[in-house]
Amino acid sequence: LTATYLCALAHRERGITQPLHIEWRASRKEFESILARDSSFEDALYQFAILERYREEYRHMIELGDRQLVLKPGRTDLQLGVHRLYRCYVASQDTAEVLGWLRERSGGLSVYYRGEALRRSGALAEAESLAVGGPLRFREVPPEAWHMSLARIRFAAGDRDGAERWYWRAVNELSSQPGAALMFEDLKYIVTDEELSQF
């Protein structure tokens, strides 16, 4: 399994430079072989999801990421990685398609990224209504993520004071590694060395 896993990763990354994507076909076969034998092996589902992102098979990418989190819910790196997959889907696909598909899916991540898609499209009131109740209804998404989303919504609405309040609420109520990691995703481009050290 380890050898197949490493070959799958190698073929996936080599496939970036191969115009016919022969490497990606080999990678897909290897990931499918691993999952047929042991779907909980390492982070194979997440790594397969990255391949699907490269192949622009976004829905399958999300399904794989969700399955990975069910199997290994405690891993902060995987939680952060799956959020990145969702963000990629929301940012790269047609908003109407994204909203339609995410509405059909259950779970906090689908609701959270439905709100993010609405925010990006300018439907701020609808996005805010999803985010306000999110922390109580969907525990699989850290509260800090919902608060940061509300900060972005308030900023987009021109309410800088409201945006700051939600931002500082996220900071002051920081309670988990996944929440801290998701907050850092927003801050990593502007953080100073001293702030990074404190983080």
Side-chain angles (χ1 to χ4, degrees):
L1 281 173
T2 300
T4 307
Y5 173 82
L6 294 173
C7 283
L9 296 179
H11 284 299
R12 183 189 73 195
E13 296 307 308
R14 281 182 47 143
I16 293 169
T17 61
Q18 304 294 321
L20 298 177
H21 302 304
I22 295 166
E23 299 282 352
W24 284 351
R25 282 198 291 275
S27 179
R28 185 180 173 92
K29 277 186 173 180
E30 286 155 345
F31 279 125
E32 287 171 345
S33 169
I34 293 166
L35 298 181
R37 288 183 280 167
D38 181 2
S39 63
S40 67
F41 182 76
E42 298 290 345
D43 59 351
L45 285 161
Y46 173 65
Q47 296 299 335
F48 190 2
I50 293 173
L51 171 65
E52 295 301 77
R53 186 187 79 203
Y54 291 172
R55 297 178 62 240
E56 299 181 3
E57 296 290 339
Y58 295 111
R59 292 184 181 187
H60 192 225
M61 169 190 81
I62 295 293
E63 289 164 353
L64 290 166
D66 284 349
R67 283 173 56 200
Q68 182 68 85
L69 288 184
V70 168
L71 290 173
K72 303 204 174 177
R75 283 191 45 187
T76 297
D77 61 326
L78 294 178
Q79 290 181 43
L80 182 58
V82 172
H83 274 273
R84 287 177 179 150
L85 298 176
Y86 270 90
R87 208 164 37 241
C88 171
Y89 176 55
V90 167
S92 65
Q93 298 302 292
D94 175 71
T95 301
E97 177 205 317
V98 167
L99 290 171
W101 190 65
L102 291 179
R103 275 191 191 100
E104 296 170 7
R105 298 177 57 76
S106 61
L109 280 170
S110 291
V111 173
Y112 180 81
Y113 282 98
R114 217 169 80 215
E116 285 293 285
L118 288 164
R119 176 186 62 80
R120 290 170 62 92
S121 70
L124 301 180
E126 196 176 348
E128 190 167 26
S129 71
L130 288 176
V132 166
L136 295 176
R137 292 176 52 219
F138 301 105
R139 303 266 184 206
E140 66 267 38
V141 177
E144 298 88 347
W146 295 104
H147 299 338
M148 291 298 284
S149 186
L150 284 160
R152 288 190 289 270
I153 291 165
R154 290 286 85 221
F155 185 82
D159 176 10
R160 289 176 179 265
D161 291 340
E164 274 204 43
R165 276 194 301 277
W166 279 113
Y167 169 79
W168 285 111
R169 183 169 175 186
V171 170
N172 293 328
E173 295 179 12
L174 197 60
S175 60
S176 68
Q177 278 298 123
L182 287 167
M183 281 195 68
F184 188 68
E185 283 290 285
D186 276 26
L187 304 174
K188 64 186 178 185
Y189 303 104
I190 60 169
V191 73
T192 66
D193 289 344
E194 183 183 348
E195 289 165 336
L196 178 59
S197 175
Q198 283 185 306
F199 175 80

